[in-house]
Amino acid sequence: MKKLLGFTLLIALIVVGVLIYDEYQKANEFSDIQPKATYKEYKIYDLVESRSLMCAEAVEILGVSEGYSYYLPCIKSGKIMFVSSQEKITLIVALNNKIITLEELYELKIVERQLGGF
């Protein structure tokens, strides 16, 4: 019985340790890089630029607004993160949830734009 109790406590301590370590990693995930921009309560990180990650060389069109096409020079919308104290979301989620507009992204130098379409 004592062995079972000791084994159970050991497993519980390991699980708690893993959970604490996981939370620590999440909290410090962006501590070694500077945000590309800040918008409202969000810090915006371009992981492709800041971590020198590979990026498929194809234009990623994000949308059209007021005669402009807004795009990224490579496929990286999933690697541009909006981070607040409450959440971590991708650029596409921020756009879909109307947290930010294409024009605001352009003004922050996160995306590029071109008059007309592609």
Side-chain angles (χ1 to χ4, degrees), residues 57-74:
E57 293 186 31
V59 173
E60 182 177 3
I61 300 169
L62 299 172
V64 178
S65 178
E66 298 180 22
Y68 289 100
S69 292
Y70 293 85
Y71 66 95
L72 293 166
C74 65

Side-chain angles (χ1 to χ4, degrees), residues 18-69:
V18 168
L19 291 173
I20 290 171
Y21 180 75
D22 187 50
E23 287 302 313
Y24 173 80
Q25 289 294 93
K26 287 179 188 175
N28 293 303
E29 182 177 2
F30 300 98
S31 64
D32 63 329
I33 57 176
Q34 293 294 318
K36 183 166 181 148
T38 301
Y39 180 77
K40 297 183 180 177
E41 71 269 17
Y42 294 94
K43 291 182 181 179
I44 305 170
Y45 296 92
D46 183 334
L47 299 179
V48 170
E49 286 181 13
S50 62
R51 299 203 189 274
S52 300
L53 300 176
M54 297 294 289
C55 187
E57 293 186 31
V59 173
E60 182 177 3
I61 300 169
L62 299 172
V64 178
S65 178
E66 298 180 22
Y68 289 100
S69 292

Side-chain angles (χ1 to χ4, degrees), residues 77-108:
S77 62
K79 299 290 184 194
I80 297 177
M81 306 303 297
F82 283 62
V83 180
S84 73
S85 62
Q86 304 295 316
E87 64 184 343
K88 176 179 77 169
I89 58 175
T90 64
L91 171 93
I92 296 300
V93 173
L95 279 171
N96 289 341
N97 291 343
K98 300 185 184 336
I99 291 169
I100 195 165
T101 67
L102 290 167
E103 177 65 30
E104 290 166 329
L105 286 167
Y106 175 74
E107 290 169 1
L108 292 169

